[in-house]
């Protein structure tokens, strides 16, 4: 959204206070004020009064307002500042004040929309292992920043849970349809933040949304139960995916922070949620929203996440659903664990049978009145039947002619409107069924939806084949016909995992030397809790109720990692957020259940590190990683110095005055002690290029252990590691090693690039500690 955004946040250094929002006005936009520490004059009782007085003195009328009315939020824990609505001239004058540090544009973020515990090896009957060792995460608190929660779901019951952890400082904030008794020993906190949303959109429509932590969307309930849902049996969605539903950390406590409303999730509200969550004493923050990648000092999520990391809170965030194209990954700051999505070994096949006998594979979660078995139905492609072609091909609202559609199965192209909404358009026009065809960009990646009429999704190749059949059959004596055969739930699908087509991909647009995403986790067709007031398809006309729903997205992958982080923190209370991320990354795997490198769902080809980062999470191995790559907040300061951020930019992110002279000793930004190694060389006509990485590993395995290195160099790259052996005498001991990388230039077209990957692996015979090594060659324009 950038600087032209309607909404800006003004950051300042001040304590937290609640405030009312002002209504939107055409000449006032929401901007921000960040003030030097302890700059408040003593005549004001609070920072908020001082800020409000400052704003009033800047306004054209000059009349002071009675108390903090223009301030949207104030921040004091992860960030010192406030958000407020200002005119452009006020923003300019405030920016010029000597004690002001920054003006930050607000983005509006969007959501990154039972079998995964077993697929990850978290078996309920284990007498040993991660769930047992961590007591299922019972004293850990996961803060979920999302659309709120539906507290009555069985996934959030508090049976047999001990008292609320004594460290907890949070609240259960009552509101519409959400009394304070909605919380229990499982859901121990709930808050909502709407001032930022209302500052731009005006007063909330309370007939369609709850002014409370209650979830009117479903997304937040779903993600919260993936992270920490209790065991619920039987669980299913409309009869699909029957079994036991469980989150990753079934005994962990939950705190819901509602920041997303009908038009999106506003940065000022997200930052307030980070601020509250850390003050409340959560251990993990799970964030399944994202937006455009901007420099970290303009990114409210990166700033809030740094403050959380600084306080020892692990932050996991979804990578985004912009795949399968490159450079689509979001939430890329190195202090955030960025999670992409993979498939699990469960499918919901629903195949299309064409009149010529051909079967086209598809997927669906449909359980309503079906098509008559054995009967073939007339088939049409919406894009060639009347209308303007384009909108009718996408089955947009009002684009289909009922006289052409009635009684037929309609082929609709994917794109623009939601997949389930297309089915509603077909149904309204009198269609009996729908086939939803991927476009070229979606490839062969399929998402199973809870459709409101008999419908299935097919890949781009299947879509092409069906269109071709319609075209040929329409000119023959036997007009085109089809039916959809629903096959229910299939387990033991191979290959799995596969990188989901929609999962956002690297390289990292902001810091190419930090490989993102970090890992992938289950994110396709995930069963989890669902509210009563939203039909499983999400379309307004869907009045069905279900306790669980099946959704897909990196939104679903992120809370898997949040829950695993809680389990790891419970088992290793002394581990930092960086240590937890390191354990997840260095133990991740890249082979599927056939023993071959994971595939990319969109193309069917082998996937790469740009798709999966370090690989797919492996919880049991992460429990005992042997070595970890640890980091302190000061290491991130050095990283920002070496990324050519100014001292002022760095202070906005870290609240620390940066001494960049120390950073130069760290060498370059690739020397951040990260578990992956990545370098991008600009060729500039040089025949040979080289760099080095310095890394420090901490022994968390056996006291007396000797690790030896093995290198799988990227193709055409020379890699040497010194020393080749690390001998540890005790737990907690740190040892350094150096990786030297040398590569010869290759012929590339102007602006072209070539990416090669390998790995550096340390092993003591019991533990295997793997770091991806990525070398990219770029040719300038």
């Amino acid at each position: 959204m950038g600087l032209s955004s309607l909404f800006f946040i003004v950051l300042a250094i001040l304590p937290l206070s609640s405030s009312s929002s002002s209504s939107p006005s055409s000449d006032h936009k929401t901007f921000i004020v960040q003030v030097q520490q302890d700059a408040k004059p003593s005549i004001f009782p609070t920072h908020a009064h001082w800020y409000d007085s400052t704003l009033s003195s800047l306004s054209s009328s000059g009349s002071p307002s009675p108390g903090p009315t223009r301030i949207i939020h104030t921040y004091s824990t992860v960030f010192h500042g406030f958000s407020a609505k200002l005119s452009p001239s006020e923003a300019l004058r405030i920016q010029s004040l000597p004690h002001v540090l920054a003006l930050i544009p607000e983005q509006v973020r969007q959501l990154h929309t039972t079998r995964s515990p077993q697929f990850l090896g978290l078996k309920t009957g284990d007498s040993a292992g991660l769930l047992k060792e961590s007591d299922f995460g019972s004293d850990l608190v996961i803060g979920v920043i999302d659309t709120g929660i539906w507290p009555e779901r069985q996934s959030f019951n508090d049976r047999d849970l001990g008292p609320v952890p004594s460290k907890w400082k949070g609240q259960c904030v009552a509101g519409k349809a959400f009394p304070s008794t909605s919380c229990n020993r499982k859901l121990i906190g709930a808050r909502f933040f709407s001032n930022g949303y209302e500052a731009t959109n005006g007063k909330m429509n309370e007939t369609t949304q709850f002014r409370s932590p209650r979830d009117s969307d479903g997304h937040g309930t779903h993600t919260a139960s993936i992270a920490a849902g209790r065991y619920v049996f039987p669980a299913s969605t409309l009869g699909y995916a029957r079994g036991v539903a469980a989150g990753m950390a079934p005994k962990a406590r939950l705190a819901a922070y509602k920041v997303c409303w009908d038009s999106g999730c506003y940065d000022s509200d997200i930052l307030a949620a980070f601020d509250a969550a850390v003050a409340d004493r959560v251990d993990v923050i799970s964030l399944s929203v994202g937006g455009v990648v901007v420099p970290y000092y303009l990114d409210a999520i990166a700033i809030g996440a740094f403050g959380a990391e600084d306080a020892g809170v692990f932050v996991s965030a979804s990578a985004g659903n912009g795949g399968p194209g490159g450079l689509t990954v979001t939430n890329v700051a190195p202090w955030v664990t960025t999670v992409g999505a993979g498939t699990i070994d469960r499918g919901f096949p629903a195949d299309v049978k064409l009149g010529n006998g051909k079967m086209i594979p598809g997927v669906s979660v449909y359980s309503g009145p079906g098509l008559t078995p054995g009967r073939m139905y007339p088939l049409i492609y919406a894009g060639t039947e009347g209308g303007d072609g384009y909108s009718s091909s996408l089955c947009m609202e009002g684009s289909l002619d009922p006289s052409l559609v009635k009684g037929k199965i309609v082929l609709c192209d994917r794109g623009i409107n939601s997949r389930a909404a297309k089915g509603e358009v077909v149904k309204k026009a009198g269609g009996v069924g729908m086939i939803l065809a991927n476009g070229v960009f979606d490839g062969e990646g399929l998402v199973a939806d809870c459709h409101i009429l008999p419908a299935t999704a097919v890949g781009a190749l299947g879509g092409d084949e069906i269109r071709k059949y319609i075209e040929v059959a329409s000119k023959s004596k036997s007009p085109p016909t089809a039916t959809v055969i629903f096959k229910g739930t299939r387990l033991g699908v191979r290959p799995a995992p596969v990188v989901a087509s929609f999962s956002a991909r690297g390289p990292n647009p902001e810091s190419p030397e930090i490989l993102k995403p970090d890992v992938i986790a289950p994110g396709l067709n995930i069963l989890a809790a669902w509210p009563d007031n939203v039909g499983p398809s999400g379309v307004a006309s869907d009045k069905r109720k279900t306790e669980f729903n099946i959704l897909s997205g990196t939104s679903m992958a992120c809370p898997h990692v949040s829950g695993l982080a809680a389990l790891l923190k419970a088992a290793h209370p002394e581990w930092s957020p960086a240590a937890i991320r390191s354990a997840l990354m260095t133990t991740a795997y890249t082979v599927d259940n056939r023993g071959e490198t994971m595939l990319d769902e969109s193309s069917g080809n082998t996937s790469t590190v740009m798709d999966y980062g370090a690989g797919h999470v492996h919880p049991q191995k992460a429990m005992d990683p042997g070595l970890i790559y640890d980091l302190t907040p000061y290491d991130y300061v050095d990283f920002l110095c070496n990324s050519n951020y100014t001292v002022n930019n760095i202070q906005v992110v870290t609240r620390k005055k940066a001494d960049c002279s120390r950073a130069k000793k760290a060498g370059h930004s690739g020397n951040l002690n990260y578990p992956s190694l990545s370098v991008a060389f600009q060729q500039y006509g040089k025949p040979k290029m080289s760099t080095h990485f310095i890394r420090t590993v901490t022994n968390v395995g056996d006291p007396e252990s000797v690790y030896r290195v093995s290198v799988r160099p990227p193709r055409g790259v020379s890699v040497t590691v010194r020393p080749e052996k690390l001998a540890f005498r005790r737990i907690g001991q740190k040892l350094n090693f150096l990786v030297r990388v040398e590569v010869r230039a290759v012929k590339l077209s102007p602006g072209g690039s070539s990416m090669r990957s390998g790995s550096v692996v340390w092993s003591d015979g019991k533990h295997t500690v793997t770091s991806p090594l990525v070398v990219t060659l770029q040719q300038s324009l």
Side-chain angles (χ1 to χ4, degrees):
M1 186 151 290
L3 288 162
S4 62
S5 157
L6 272 179
F7 209 57
F8 286 73
I9 301 174
V10 203
L11 312 177
I13 298 177
L14 50 96
L16 190 68
S17 83
S18 65
S19 54
S20 63
S21 66
S22 51
S23 61
S25 117
S26 56
D27 62 332
H28 281 62
K29 299 176 182 179
T30 311
F31 282 83
I32 299 179
V33 190
Q34 185 171 13
V35 183
Q36 302 295 346
Q37 195 83 38
D38 303 325
K40 178 176 77 68
S42 58
I43 56 168
F44 292 100
T46 67
H47 279 82
H49 283 89
W50 174 44
Y51 289 132
D52 202 58
S53 175
T54 304
L55 295 180
S56 298
S57 67
L58 287 172
S59 71
S60 50
S61 66
S63 57
S65 57
T69 52
R70 295 179 61 192
I71 292 170
I72 293 166
H73 289 293
T74 61
Y75 314 100
S76 65
T77 305
V78 300
F79 182 80
H80 291 291
F82 72 90
S83 34
K85 288 192 68 111
L86 305 169
S87 69
S89 61
E90 287 172 335
L92 282 172
R93 276 181 280 169
I94 278 185
Q95 195 171 20
S96 67
L97 295 175
H99 49 270
V100 169
L101 290 175
L103 213 73
I104 298 186
E106 169 168 273
Q107 286 192 56
V108 184
R109 315 280 180 153
Q110 300 302 328
L111 298 163
H112 285 151
T113 288
T114 56
R115 214 175 127 66
S116 48
Q118 294 93 312
F119 183 67
L120 289 168
L122 294 173
K123 296 189 183 65
T124 55
D126 273 5
S127 54
L130 188 51
L131 283 172
K132 179 78 174 163
E133 290 225 19
S134 61
D135 187 27
F136 298 74
S138 67
D139 281 335
L140 275 286
V141 184
I142 301 174
V144 180
I145 299 179
D146 211 299
T147 66
I149 197 159
W150 196 267
E152 294 81 9
R153 288 289 79 127
Q154 278 306 301
S155 298
F156 310 128
N157 81 69
D158 64 356
R159 274 194 311 275
D160 308 323
L161 283 182
V164 171
S166 57
K167 64 169 186 177
W168 180 245
K169 299 278 186 278
Q171 290 173 274
C172 193
V173 176
K176 187 179 176 187
F178 199 95
S180 57
T181 51
S182 301
C183 294
N184 57 18
R185 295 190 308 272
K186 173 67 175 177
L187 176 63
I188 63 172
R191 296 176 183 267
F192 65 99
F193 303 89
S194 58
N195 291 356
Y197 159 76
E198 290 188 302
T200 292
N201 295 279
K203 199 160 166 47
M204 179 189 305
N205 177 355
E206 294 193 40
T207 61
T208 58
Q209 302 189 88
F210 298 103
R211 186 183 289 282
S212 75
R214 186 171 288 279
D215 184 4
S216 59
D217 176 275
H219 192 274
T221 301
H222 203 267
T223 54
S225 72
I226 291 170
R230 304 299 303 275
Y231 293 107
V232 181
F233 178 83
S236 77
T237 297
L238 311 176
Y240 285 81
R242 286 185 193 280
V244 178
M248 295 294 99
K251 282 190 180 176
R253 315 308 173 111
L254 278 166
Y257 298 88
K258 180 176 176 180
V259 300
C260 296
W261 306 89
D262 57 12
S263 64
C265 324
Y266 288 75
D267 272 355
S268 54
D269 293 335
I270 293 171
L271 197 54
F274 267 108
D275 208 58
V278 174
D280 290 347
R281 301 286 185 81
V282 303
D283 299 284
V284 172
I285 288 175
S286 188
L287 181 77
S288 289
V289 305
V292 182
V293 175
V294 292
Y296 305 127
Y297 58 88
L298 295 174
D299 184 344
I301 288 177
I303 293 167
F306 187 93
E309 175 101 5
D310 203 7
V313 176
F314 179 93
V315 179
S316 59
S318 46
N321 297 340
L327 282 169
T328 49
V329 64
T330 69
N331 294 323
V332 295
W335 46 89
V336 170
T337 299
T338 311
V339 188
T343 67
I344 59 174
D345 60 346
R346 177 180 68 200
F348 307 109
D351 300 342
V352 176
K353 183 182 181 186
L354 298 175
N356 61 7
K358 278 213 169 150
M359 297 289 278
I360 309 290
V363 300
S364 180
V365 179
Y366 175 73
S367 70
L371 300 168
T372 307
R375 180 178 164 191
M376 299 298 282
Y377 291 81
L379 171 68
I380 64 163
Y381 172 43
T384 56
E385 300 287 340
D388 68 355
Y390 180 66
S391 61
S392 54
S393 71
L394 293 164
C395 297
M396 304 284 282
E397 186 66 45
S399 68
L400 300 182
D401 179 346
S403 66
L404 296 169
V405 168
K406 193 168 169 43
K408 295 174 183 167
I409 291 176
V410 182
L411 177 70
C412 301
D413 293 338
R414 188 168 159 184
I416 312 290
N417 54 342
S418 86
R419 298 183 298 272
K422 293 173 192 290
E424 186 177 39
V425 171
V426 170
K427 190 175 182 180
K428 272 196 215 158
V432 295
M434 175 180 72
I435 302 164
L436 183 61
N438 279 359
V440 175
F441 185 73
D442 305 304
E444 300 308 304
L446 298 180
V447 179
D449 295 300
C450 294
H451 292 287
I452 60 167
L453 83 172
T456 189
V458 301
L461 294 173
D464 288 345
E465 192 164 340
I466 296 169
R467 280 187 215 93
K468 196 169 166 188
Y469 160 70
I470 292 171
E471 192 184 346
V472 171
S474 300
K475 294 170 184 166
S476 72
K477 287 182 179 151
S478 51
T481 58
T483 190
V484 181
I485 300 163
F486 298 95
K487 297 180 173 178
T489 305
R490 192 168 139 230
L491 301 178
V493 171
R494 294 159 75 89
V498 169
V499 179
S501 177
F502 56 76
S503 187
R505 316 298 166 98
N508 181 336
E510 180 59 17
S511 304
E513 59 283 5
I514 303 295
L515 181 63
K516 292 282 180 176
D518 291 306
V519 289
I520 63 168
L524 186 79
N525 302 335
I526 303 300
L527 178 94
W530 194 247
D532 271 343
N533 65 325
V534 185
S537 68
V539 301
S541 65
D542 187 357
K543 301 303 179 199
R544 294 173 294 179
K545 288 189 178 185
T546 177
E547 177 146 352
F548 295 91
N549 199 5
I550 293 167
L551 296 188
S552 300
T554 55
S555 276
M556 283 64 246
C558 166
H560 278 91
V561 168
S562 313
L564 296 179
L567 295 180
L568 290 170
K569 182 83 175 168
H572 301 284
E574 73 287 357
W575 279 10
S576 69
I580 294 169
R581 177 175 57 240
S582 174
L584 289 165
M585 288 175 70
T586 63
T587 58
Y589 60 89
T590 58
V591 294
D592 60 28
N593 55 8
R594 305 167 308 165
E596 295 174 33
T597 301
M598 286 188 289
L599 298 180
D600 177 348
E601 188 190 32
S602 70
S603 64
N605 298 330
T606 303
S607 57
T608 74
V609 289
M610 291 301 166
D611 307 330
Y612 54 67
H616 193 288
V617 290
H618 192 310
Q620 300 293 7
K621 283 192 174 167
M623 181 78 184
D624 179 20
L627 304 175
I628 54 169
Y629 293 82
D630 211 353
L631 282 163
T632 70
Y634 288 100
D635 294 316
Y636 295 121
V637 172
D638 289 349
F639 164 80
L640 293 169
C641 285
N642 288 327
S643 300
N644 296 322
Y645 277 52
T646 67
V647 171
N648 190 50
N649 292 158
I650 295 168
Q651 192 175 352
V652 171
V653 177
T654 65
R655 293 173 300 147
K656 293 173 169 55
K657 280 211 165 26
D659 173 9
C660 285
S661 60
R662 180 193 121 142
K664 300 306 172 206
K665 293 192 183 108
H668 55 86
S669 52
N671 276 342
L672 181 68
N673 198 40
Y674 214 71
S676 52
L677 307 140
S678 174
V679 60
F681 290 114
Q682 301 291 339
Q683 295 202 147
Y684 295 128
K686 291 178 286 194
K688 208 188 264 186
M689 292 143 293
S690 65
T691 192
H692 68 277
F693 300 96
I694 298 164
R695 290 291 188 268
T696 304
V697 282
T698 307
N699 181 23
V700 294
D702 304 317
E704 301 268 342
S705 50
V706 177
Y707 285 81
R708 289 181 169 78
V709 75
S710 62
V711 176
R712 189 175 65 80
R715 182 174 45 81
V717 179
S718 159
V719 181
T720 52
V721 179
R722 294 288 180 269
E724 295 177 356
K725 183 174 89 172
L726 298 173
F728 294 93
R729 294 182 303 285
R730 57 186 169 77
I731 290 173
Q733 185 180 358
K734 294 178 185 292
L735 292 175
N736 301 332
F737 64 92
L738 183 137
V739 180
R740 190 169 292 287
V741 172
E742 201 173 278
V743 62
R744 289 189 173 278
V746 295
K747 196 162 177 57
L748 291 170
S749 55
S753 68
S754 162
M755 187 278 294
R756 297 104 177 264
S757 67
S759 58
V760 173
V761 183
W762 291 97
S763 179
D764 63 349
K766 176 179 168 187
H767 305 93
T768 303
V769 187
T770 304
S771 289
L773 170 60
V774 186
V775 175
T776 306
L777 299 174
Q778 294 172 333
Q779 189 66 43
S780 61
L781 286 164

